[in-house]
Amino acid sequence: MEMLFKHIYEAYFDDVYRFVYVKTGNKWDADDIGSETFRKVYEKSAPSETISIK
């Protein structure tokens, strides 16, 4: 799961960051919210499950 999560993080973090930045107008909030989003994805994913992002 580590490798799968790493690939998802690398592929989507910038998009999530930009989305949150546009909504908040604050780079610190965008970084915190983006990081928190991926932390939750990581915690909620069981090792045997695959993560699907549409």
Tab-separated table of all heavy atoms in Angstrom:
chain	number	residue	atom	x	y	z
A	1	MET	N	0.812	-1.189	0.000
A	1	MET	CA	0.000	0.000	0.000
A	1	MET	C	0.861	1.260	0.000
A	1	MET	O	0.452	2.265	-0.552
A	1	MET	CB	-0.929	0.023	1.206
A	1	MET	CG	-1.820	1.263	1.146
A	1	MET	SD	-3.025	1.409	2.400
A	1	MET	CE	-2.182	2.388	3.579
A	2	GLU	N	2.014	1.180	0.601
A	2	GLU	CA	2.881	2.357	0.656
A	2	GLU	C	3.147	2.912	-0.738
A	2	GLU	O	3.067	4.117	-0.951
A	2	GLU	CB	4.203	2.013	1.347
A	2	GLU	CG	4.083	1.781	2.824
A	2	GLU	CD	3.820	3.045	3.606
A	2	GLU	OE1	4.284	4.113	3.188
A	2	GLU	OE2	3.135	2.958	4.622
A	3	MET	N	3.484	2.051	-1.671
A	3	MET	CA	3.806	2.515	-3.024
A	3	MET	C	2.570	3.074	-3.710
A	3	MET	O	2.652	4.088	-4.389
A	3	MET	CB	4.423	1.394	-3.851
A	3	MET	CG	5.814	1.006	-3.387
A	3	MET	SD	6.978	2.396	-3.407
A	3	MET	CE	7.149	2.686	-5.144
A	4	LEU	N	1.436	2.425	-3.541
A	4	LEU	CA	0.201	2.910	-4.151
A	4	LEU	C	-0.141	4.294	-3.614
A	4	LEU	O	-0.434	5.214	-4.375
A	4	LEU	CB	-0.957	1.948	-3.881
A	4	LEU	CG	-2.332	2.403	-4.374
A	4	LEU	CD1	-2.315	2.620	-5.881
A	4	LEU	CD2	-3.386	1.411	-3.979
A	5	PHE	N	-0.074	4.456	-2.297
A	5	PHE	CA	-0.379	5.752	-1.698
A	5	PHE	C	0.599	6.811	-2.196
A	5	PHE	O	0.197	7.931	-2.511
A	5	PHE	CB	-0.352	5.676	-0.170
A	5	PHE	CG	-0.591	7.014	0.466
A	5	PHE	CD1	-1.878	7.515	0.547
A	5	PHE	CD2	0.462	7.771	0.935
A	5	PHE	CE1	-2.107	8.773	1.105
A	5	PHE	CE2	0.242	9.018	1.494
A	5	PHE	CZ	-1.044	9.513	1.584
A	6	LYS	N	1.862	6.480	-2.270
A	6	LYS	CA	2.874	7.432	-2.730
A	6	LYS	C	2.553	7.913	-4.141
A	6	LYS	O	2.648	9.112	-4.435
A	6	LYS	CB	4.253	6.787	-2.699
A	6	LYS	CG	5.355	7.702	-3.161
A	6	LYS	CD	6.699	7.011	-3.119
A	6	LYS	CE	7.770	7.923	-3.681
A	6	LYS	NZ	9.063	7.269	-3.769
A	7	HIS	N	2.156	7.006	-4.995
A	7	HIS	CA	1.819	7.382	-6.370
A	7	HIS	C	0.577	8.272	-6.416
A	7	HIS	O	0.533	9.241	-7.182
A	7	HIS	CB	1.625	6.148	-7.244
A	7	HIS	CG	2.890	5.408	-7.500
A	7	HIS	ND1	3.966	5.939	-8.174
A	7	HIS	CD2	3.276	4.153	-7.141
A	7	HIS	CE1	4.949	5.067	-8.232
A	7	HIS	NE2	4.550	3.979	-7.599
A	8	ILE	N	-0.413	7.949	-5.615
A	8	ILE	CA	-1.622	8.771	-5.573
A	8	ILE	C	-1.296	10.159	-5.039
A	8	ILE	O	-1.730	11.168	-5.597
A	8	ILE	CB	-2.711	8.090	-4.716
A	8	ILE	CG1	-3.239	6.859	-5.458
A	8	ILE	CG2	-3.855	9.062	-4.399
A	8	ILE	CD1	-4.172	6.008	-4.657
A	9	TYR	N	-0.506	10.217	-3.976
A	9	TYR	CA	-0.109	11.504	-3.397
A	9	TYR	C	0.625	12.353	-4.427
A	9	TYR	O	0.297	13.528	-4.630
A	9	TYR	CB	0.769	11.261	-2.169
A	9	TYR	CG	1.214	12.519	-1.488
A	9	TYR	CD1	0.441	13.103	-0.502
A	9	TYR	CD2	2.417	13.134	-1.828
A	9	TYR	CE1	0.832	14.272	0.133
A	9	TYR	CE2	2.828	14.301	-1.202
A	9	TYR	CZ	2.034	14.862	-0.223
A	9	TYR	OH	2.431	16.013	0.393
A	10	GLU	N	1.599	11.754	-5.089
A	10	GLU	CA	2.382	12.495	-6.078
A	10	GLU	C	1.536	12.932	-7.273
A	10	GLU	O	1.746	14.009	-7.834
A	10	GLU	CB	3.572	11.663	-6.544
A	10	GLU	CG	4.627	11.495	-5.464
A	10	GLU	CD	5.724	10.516	-5.838
A	10	GLU	OE1	5.619	9.841	-6.888
A	10	GLU	OE2	6.687	10.427	-5.062
A	11	ALA	N	0.577	12.113	-7.641
A	11	ALA	CA	-0.242	12.417	-8.806
A	11	ALA	C	-1.293	13.495	-8.529
A	11	ALA	O	-1.633	14.272	-9.425
A	11	ALA	CB	-0.934	11.145	-9.316
A	12	TYR	N	-1.810	13.560	-7.296
A	12	TYR	CA	-2.966	14.408	-7.032
A	12	TYR	C	-2.751	15.541	-6.034
A	12	TYR	O	-3.608	16.412	-5.924
A	12	TYR	CB	-4.149	13.547	-6.561
A	12	TYR	CG	-4.643	12.632	-7.637
A	12	TYR	CD1	-4.297	11.291	-7.641
A	12	TYR	CD2	-5.439	13.106	-8.670
A	12	TYR	CE1	-4.737	10.442	-8.639
A	12	TYR	CE2	-5.886	12.272	-9.673
A	12	TYR	CZ	-5.528	10.931	-9.654
A	12	TYR	OH	-5.951	10.106	-10.634
A	13	PHE	N	-1.635	15.553	-5.311
A	13	PHE	CA	-1.478	16.586	-4.287
A	13	PHE	C	-1.535	17.992	-4.882
A	13	PHE	O	-2.200	18.870	-4.336
A	13	PHE	CB	-0.193	16.416	-3.472
A	13	PHE	CG	-0.107	17.434	-2.367
A	13	PHE	CD1	-0.771	17.221	-1.177
A	13	PHE	CD2	0.589	18.617	-2.531
A	13	PHE	CE1	-0.728	18.170	-0.162
A	13	PHE	CE2	0.634	19.572	-1.531
A	13	PHE	CZ	-0.021	19.341	-0.339
A	14	ASP	N	-0.861	18.216	-5.982
A	14	ASP	CA	-0.852	19.559	-6.580
A	14	ASP	C	-2.252	20.015	-6.974
A	14	ASP	O	-2.607	21.180	-6.779
A	14	ASP	CB	0.077	19.614	-7.791
A	14	ASP	CG	1.543	19.521	-7.404
A	14	ASP	OD1	1.879	19.753	-6.222
A	14	ASP	OD2	2.359	19.214	-8.295
A	15	ASP	N	-3.046	19.107	-7.509
A	15	ASP	CA	-4.424	19.455	-7.885
A	15	ASP	C	-5.268	19.791	-6.657
A	15	ASP	O	-6.034	20.762	-6.667
A	15	ASP	CB	-5.088	18.314	-8.657
A	15	ASP	CG	-4.463	18.093	-10.015
A	15	ASP	OD1	-3.902	19.058	-10.585
A	15	ASP	OD2	-4.529	16.953	-10.513
A	16	VAL	N	-5.123	18.984	-5.608
A	16	VAL	CA	-5.867	19.247	-4.372
A	16	VAL	C	-5.410	20.576	-3.780
A	16	VAL	O	-6.230	21.402	-3.367
A	16	VAL	CB	-5.673	18.087	-3.357
A	16	VAL	CG1	-6.263	18.449	-1.993
A	16	VAL	CG2	-6.307	16.809	-3.891
A	17	TYR	N	-4.106	20.801	-3.766
A	17	TYR	CA	-3.552	22.050	-3.236
A	17	TYR	C	-4.116	23.261	-3.977
A	17	TYR	O	-4.578	24.213	-3.359
A	17	TYR	CB	-2.031	22.028	-3.326
A	17	TYR	CG	-1.394	23.318	-2.869
A	17	TYR	CD1	-1.029	23.491	-1.540
A	17	TYR	CD2	-1.167	24.364	-3.750
A	17	TYR	CE1	-0.456	24.677	-1.105
A	17	TYR	CE2	-0.595	25.555	-3.330
A	17	TYR	CZ	-0.241	25.701	-2.006
A	17	TYR	OH	0.313	26.872	-1.581
A	18	ARG	N	-4.089	23.204	-5.308
A	18	ARG	CA	-4.596	24.332	-6.105
A	18	ARG	C	-6.077	24.575	-5.844
A	18	ARG	O	-6.518	25.720	-5.717
A	18	ARG	CB	-4.347	24.092	-7.596
A	18	ARG	CG	-2.959	24.461	-8.039
A	18	ARG	CD	-2.823	24.449	-9.551
A	18	ARG	NE	-2.970	23.129	-10.127
A	18	ARG	CZ	-1.980	22.246	-10.244
A	18	ARG	NH1	-0.775	22.551	-9.827
A	18	ARG	NH2	-2.184	21.081	-10.791
A	19	PHE	N	-6.854	23.504	-5.779
A	19	PHE	CA	-8.288	23.632	-5.512
A	19	PHE	C	-8.529	24.327	-4.172
A	19	PHE	O	-9.304	25.274	-4.076
A	19	PHE	CB	-8.960	22.252	-5.522
A	19	PHE	CG	-10.412	22.294	-5.166
A	19	PHE	CD1	-11.359	22.660	-6.103
A	19	PHE	CD2	-10.827	21.976	-3.880
A	19	PHE	CE1	-12.713	22.706	-5.774
A	19	PHE	CE2	-12.174	22.027	-3.543
A	19	PHE	CZ	-13.109	22.388	-4.490
A	20	VAL	N	-7.838	23.860	-3.131
A	20	VAL	CA	-8.021	24.447	-1.802
A	20	VAL	C	-7.501	25.878	-1.773
A	20	VAL	O	-8.118	26.752	-1.163
A	20	VAL	CB	-7.338	23.582	-0.719
A	20	VAL	CG1	-7.421	24.237	0.642
A	20	VAL	CG2	-7.954	22.193	-0.675
A	21	TYR	N	-6.402	26.136	-2.458
A	21	TYR	CA	-5.848	27.489	-2.485
A	21	TYR	C	-6.830	28.472	-3.121
A	21	TYR	O	-7.024	29.577	-2.625
A	21	TYR	CB	-4.520	27.515	-3.230
A	21	TYR	CG	-3.886	28.888	-3.232
A	21	TYR	CD1	-3.232	29.362	-2.108
A	21	TYR	CD2	-3.966	29.709	-4.346
A	21	TYR	CE1	-2.663	30.631	-2.096
A	21	TYR	CE2	-3.405	30.981	-4.346
A	21	TYR	CZ	-2.754	31.432	-3.216
A	21	TYR	OH	-2.207	32.682	-3.195
A	22	VAL	N	-7.463	28.061	-4.207
A	22	VAL	CA	-8.455	28.919	-4.860
A	22	VAL	C	-9.624	29.188	-3.907
A	22	VAL	O	-10.121	30.311	-3.830
A	22	VAL	CB	-8.949	28.283	-6.186
A	22	VAL	CG1	-10.192	28.979	-6.705
A	22	VAL	CG2	-7.844	28.311	-7.224
A	23	LYS	N	-10.042	28.184	-3.169
A	23	LYS	CA	-11.177	28.342	-2.254
A	23	LYS	C	-10.822	29.181	-1.027
A	23	LYS	O	-11.652	29.937	-0.536
A	23	LYS	CB	-11.709	26.976	-1.792
A	23	LYS	CG	-12.284	26.139	-2.906
A	23	LYS	CD	-13.529	26.789	-3.447
A	23	LYS	CE	-14.184	25.930	-4.492
A	23	LYS	NZ	-15.356	26.559	-5.074
A	24	THR	N	-9.587	29.037	-0.506
A	24	THR	CA	-9.220	29.724	0.731
A	24	THR	C	-8.424	31.002	0.498
A	24	THR	O	-8.452	31.904	1.335
A	24	THR	CB	-8.380	28.818	1.647
A	24	THR	OG1	-7.129	28.523	1.018
A	24	THR	CG2	-9.123	27.537	1.999
A	25	GLY	N	-7.661	31.058	-0.589
A	25	GLY	CA	-6.802	32.200	-0.850
A	25	GLY	C	-5.595	32.276	0.063
A	25	GLY	O	-4.940	33.304	0.155
A	26	ASN	N	-5.283	31.165	0.733
A	26	ASN	CA	-4.202	31.151	1.712
A	26	ASN	C	-3.330	29.921	1.490
A	26	ASN	O	-3.810	28.788	1.596
A	26	ASN	CB	-4.795	31.141	3.120
A	26	ASN	CG	-3.760	31.207	4.206
A	26	ASN	OD1	-2.832	30.413	4.238
A	26	ASN	ND2	-3.940	32.149	5.115
A	27	LYS	N	-2.042	30.136	1.209
A	27	LYS	CA	-1.164	29.002	0.900
A	27	LYS	C	-0.946	28.099	2.102
A	27	LYS	O	-0.786	26.891	1.950
A	27	LYS	CB	0.163	29.476	0.328
A	27	LYS	CG	1.035	30.240	1.283
A	27	LYS	CD	2.330	30.646	0.617
A	27	LYS	CE	3.228	31.398	1.581
A	27	LYS	NZ	4.507	31.726	0.981
A	28	TRP	N	-0.946	28.661	3.306
A	28	TRP	CA	-0.736	27.838	4.507
A	28	TRP	C	-1.932	26.927	4.743
A	28	TRP	O	-1.760	25.745	5.071
A	28	TRP	CB	-0.483	28.724	5.724
A	28	TRP	CG	0.659	29.665	5.523
A	28	TRP	CD1	0.588	31.025	5.413
A	28	TRP	CD2	2.042	29.329	5.331
A	28	TRP	NE1	1.836	31.546	5.186
A	28	TRP	CE2	2.757	30.523	5.136
A	28	TRP	CE3	2.747	28.132	5.312
A	28	TRP	CZ2	4.118	30.565	4.932
A	28	TRP	CZ3	4.115	28.169	5.103
A	28	TRP	CH2	4.779	29.367	4.910
A	29	ASP	N	-3.135	27.467	4.592
A	29	ASP	CA	-4.338	26.652	4.740
A	29	ASP	C	-4.407	25.584	3.650
A	29	ASP	O	-4.785	24.438	3.914
A	29	ASP	CB	-5.599	27.510	4.692
A	29	ASP	CG	-5.791	28.339	5.954
A	29	ASP	OD1	-5.190	28.011	6.994
A	29	ASP	OD2	-6.547	29.329	5.888
A	30	ALA	N	-4.046	25.952	2.439
A	30	ALA	CA	-4.077	24.990	1.338
A	30	ALA	C	-3.132	23.828	1.606
A	30	ALA	O	-3.478	22.667	1.381
A	30	ALA	CB	-3.715	25.678	0.024
A	31	ASP	N	-1.950	24.126	2.116
A	31	ASP	CA	-0.992	23.069	2.432
A	31	ASP	C	-1.507	22.184	3.569
A	31	ASP	O	-1.451	20.959	3.492
A	31	ASP	CB	0.360	23.678	2.793
A	31	ASP	CG	1.451	22.635	2.862
A	31	ASP	OD1	1.561	21.835	1.905
A	31	ASP	OD2	2.179	22.607	3.868
A	32	ASP	N	-2.040	22.812	4.622
A	32	ASP	CA	-2.559	22.046	5.765
A	32	ASP	C	-3.746	21.175	5.371
A	32	ASP	O	-3.806	19.996	5.725
A	32	ASP	CB	-2.977	22.984	6.899
A	32	ASP	CG	-1.804	23.606	7.613
A	32	ASP	OD1	-0.658	23.134	7.430
A	32	ASP	OD2	-2.026	24.580	8.360
A	33	ILE	N	-4.692	21.745	4.649
A	33	ILE	CA	-5.890	20.996	4.260
A	33	ILE	C	-5.540	19.899	3.269
A	33	ILE	O	-6.053	18.775	3.362
A	33	ILE	CB	-6.969	21.942	3.698
A	33	ILE	CG1	-7.471	22.857	4.825
A	33	ILE	CG2	-8.118	21.164	3.066
A	33	ILE	CD1	-8.333	24.014	4.353
A	34	GLY	N	-4.657	20.188	2.330
A	34	GLY	CA	-4.220	19.158	1.385
A	34	GLY	C	-3.534	18.003	2.092
A	34	GLY	O	-3.821	16.832	1.830
A	35	SER	N	-2.646	18.322	3.012
A	35	SER	CA	-1.945	17.277	3.765
A	35	SER	C	-2.921	16.468	4.618
A	35	SER	O	-2.822	15.241	4.690
A	35	SER	CB	-0.869	17.897	4.657
A	35	SER	OG	0.126	18.492	3.877
A	36	GLU	N	-3.850	17.152	5.256
A	36	GLU	CA	-4.843	16.466	6.080
A	36	GLU	C	-5.726	15.543	5.233
A	36	GLU	O	-6.077	14.444	5.659
A	36	GLU	CB	-5.703	17.493	6.816
A	36	GLU	CG	-6.736	16.909	7.738
A	36	GLU	CD	-6.141	16.229	8.967
A	36	GLU	OE1	-4.939	16.374	9.247
A	36	GLU	OE2	-6.913	15.523	9.649
A	37	THR	N	-6.060	15.980	4.051
A	37	THR	CA	-6.858	15.148	3.147
A	37	THR	C	-6.153	13.831	2.857
A	37	THR	O	-6.747	12.750	2.957
A	37	THR	CB	-7.132	15.909	1.833
A	37	THR	OG1	-7.864	17.094	2.140
A	37	THR	CG2	-7.898	15.051	0.848
A	38	PHE	N	-4.883	13.906	2.516
A	38	PHE	CA	-4.149	12.685	2.189
A	38	PHE	C	-3.819	11.857	3.420
A	38	PHE	O	-3.722	10.635	3.345
A	38	PHE	CB	-2.898	13.018	1.375
A	38	PHE	CG	-3.233	13.329	-0.047
A	38	PHE	CD1	-3.411	14.635	-0.464
A	38	PHE	CD2	-3.422	12.314	-0.972
A	38	PHE	CE1	-3.752	14.929	-1.772
A	38	PHE	CE2	-3.759	12.582	-2.276
A	38	PHE	CZ	-3.929	13.896	-2.683
A	39	ARG	N	-3.695	12.487	4.567
A	39	ARG	CA	-3.504	11.727	5.805
A	39	ARG	C	-4.734	10.867	6.078
A	39	ARG	O	-4.625	9.693	6.414
A	39	ARG	CB	-3.254	12.659	6.989
A	39	ARG	CG	-2.984	11.900	8.303
A	39	ARG	CD	-2.941	12.822	9.498
A	39	ARG	NE	-4.224	13.448	9.764
A	39	ARG	CZ	-5.248	12.840	10.400
A	39	ARG	NH1	-5.130	11.588	10.800
A	39	ARG	NH2	-6.367	13.483	10.607
A	40	LYS	N	-5.909	11.444	5.868
A	40	LYS	CA	-7.147	10.699	6.082
A	40	LYS	C	-7.289	9.559	5.074
A	40	LYS	O	-7.743	8.473	5.428
A	40	LYS	CB	-8.351	11.628	6.020
A	40	LYS	CG	-8.451	12.512	7.234
A	40	LYS	CD	-9.664	13.413	7.168
A	40	LYS	CE	-9.746	14.268	8.419
A	40	LYS	NZ	-10.953	15.102	8.431
A	41	VAL	N	-6.925	9.817	3.836
A	41	VAL	CA	-6.965	8.749	2.827
A	41	VAL	C	-6.070	7.597	3.266
A	41	VAL	O	-6.456	6.432	3.208
A	41	VAL	CB	-6.526	9.277	1.441
A	41	VAL	CG1	-6.284	8.136	0.469
A	41	VAL	CG2	-7.551	10.247	0.890
A	42	TYR	N	-4.887	7.928	3.718
A	42	TYR	CA	-3.925	6.907	4.148
A	42	TYR	C	-4.462	6.120	5.345
A	42	TYR	O	-4.399	4.897	5.362
A	42	TYR	CB	-2.593	7.559	4.504
A	42	TYR	CG	-1.531	6.565	4.882
A	42	TYR	CD1	-0.831	5.880	3.900
A	42	TYR	CD2	-1.230	6.313	6.209
A	42	TYR	CE1	0.143	4.959	4.228
A	42	TYR	CE2	-0.260	5.400	6.558
A	42	TYR	CZ	0.426	4.718	5.568
A	42	TYR	OH	1.377	3.807	5.904
A	43	GLU	N	-5.003	6.809	6.328
A	43	GLU	CA	-5.508	6.143	7.527
A	43	GLU	C	-6.734	5.289	7.255
A	43	GLU	O	-6.912	4.245	7.887
A	43	GLU	CB	-5.849	7.174	8.601
A	43	GLU	CG	-4.629	7.793	9.228
A	43	GLU	CD	-4.970	8.830	10.283
A	43	GLU	OE1	-6.160	9.184	10.437
A	43	GLU	OE2	-4.031	9.288	10.951
A	44	LYS	N	-7.584	5.719	6.358
A	44	LYS	CA	-8.825	4.991	6.084
A	44	LYS	C	-8.626	3.780	5.175
A	44	LYS	O	-9.501	2.932	5.077
A	44	LYS	CB	-9.863	5.916	5.439
A	44	LYS	CG	-10.253	7.086	6.278
A	44	LYS	CD	-11.209	6.680	7.349
A	44	LYS	CE	-11.627	7.927	8.129
A	44	LYS	NZ	-12.433	7.605	9.269
A	45	SER	N	-7.488	3.711	4.519
A	45	SER	CA	-7.250	2.632	3.575
A	45	SER	C	-6.637	1.432	4.279
A	45	SER	O	-5.593	1.538	4.896
A	45	SER	CB	-6.307	3.099	2.475
A	45	SER	OG	-6.851	4.193	1.801
A	46	ALA	N	-7.298	0.322	4.165
A	46	ALA	CA	-6.759	-0.923	4.714
A	46	ALA	C	-5.645	-1.407	3.780
A	46	ALA	O	-5.694	-1.157	2.573
A	46	ALA	CB	-7.850	-1.970	4.831
A	47	PRO	N	-4.671	-2.114	4.312
A	47	PRO	CA	-3.555	-2.571	3.467
A	47	PRO	C	-3.975	-3.403	2.262
A	47	PRO	O	-3.332	-3.354	1.229
A	47	PRO	CB	-2.726	-3.425	4.428
A	47	PRO	CG	-3.074	-2.924	5.783
A	47	PRO	CD	-4.496	-2.448	5.687
A	48	SER	N	-5.049	-4.137	2.357
A	48	SER	CA	-5.456	-4.998	1.246
A	48	SER	C	-6.392	-4.296	0.262
A	48	SER	O	-6.741	-4.866	-0.764
A	48	SER	CB	-6.131	-6.259	1.779
A	48	SER	OG	-7.295	-5.907	2.485
A	49	GLU	N	-6.814	-3.082	0.570
A	49	GLU	CA	-7.724	-2.370	-0.314
A	49	GLU	C	-6.944	-1.513	-1.310
A	49	GLU	O	-5.845	-1.068	-1.038
A	49	GLU	CB	-8.646	-1.451	0.486
A	49	GLU	CG	-9.587	-2.173	1.395
A	49	GLU	CD	-10.439	-1.215	2.197
A	49	GLU	OE1	-10.201	0.000	2.132
A	49	GLU	OE2	-11.340	-1.671	2.899
A	50	THR	N	-7.557	-1.288	-2.464
A	50	THR	CA	-6.978	-0.327	-3.399
A	50	THR	C	-7.768	0.963	-3.295
A	50	THR	O	-8.956	0.951	-2.974
A	50	THR	CB	-7.030	-0.855	-4.859
A	50	THR	OG1	-8.370	-1.142	-5.194
A	50	THR	CG2	-6.161	-2.076	-5.023
A	51	ILE	N	-7.112	2.059	-3.578
A	51	ILE	CA	-7.746	3.361	-3.485
A	51	ILE	C	-8.174	3.775	-4.887
A	51	ILE	O	-7.390	3.727	-5.820
A	51	ILE	CB	-6.756	4.394	-2.916
A	51	ILE	CG1	-6.271	3.946	-1.534
A	51	ILE	CG2	-7.389	5.769	-2.838
A	51	ILE	CD1	-5.106	4.746	-1.020
A	52	SER	N	-9.412	4.195	-5.010
A	52	SER	CA	-9.926	4.617	-6.294
A	52	SER	C	-10.263	6.108	-6.223
A	52	SER	O	-11.059	6.518	-5.395
A	52	SER	CB	-11.168	3.820	-6.666
A	52	SER	OG	-11.717	4.321	-7.849
A	53	ILE	N	-9.643	6.889	-7.076
A	53	ILE	CA	-9.929	8.316	-7.140
A	53	ILE	C	-10.497	8.597	-8.517
A	53	ILE	O	-9.886	8.291	-9.518
A	53	ILE	CB	-8.676	9.159	-6.895
A	53	ILE	CG1	-8.170	8.924	-5.482
A	53	ILE	CG2	-8.960	10.623	-7.141
A	53	ILE	CD1	-6.958	9.735	-5.123
A	54	LYS	N	-11.682	9.170	-8.541
A	54	LYS	CA	-12.338	9.461	-9.809
A	54	LYS	C	-12.336	10.940	-10.059
A	54	LYS	O	-12.382	11.744	-9.238
A	54	LYS	CB	-13.756	8.930	-9.792
A	54	LYS	CG	-13.796	7.443	-9.725
A	54	LYS	CD	-15.201	6.951	-9.750
A	54	LYS	CE	-15.201	5.434	-9.663
A	54	LYS	NZ	-16.487	4.861	-9.750
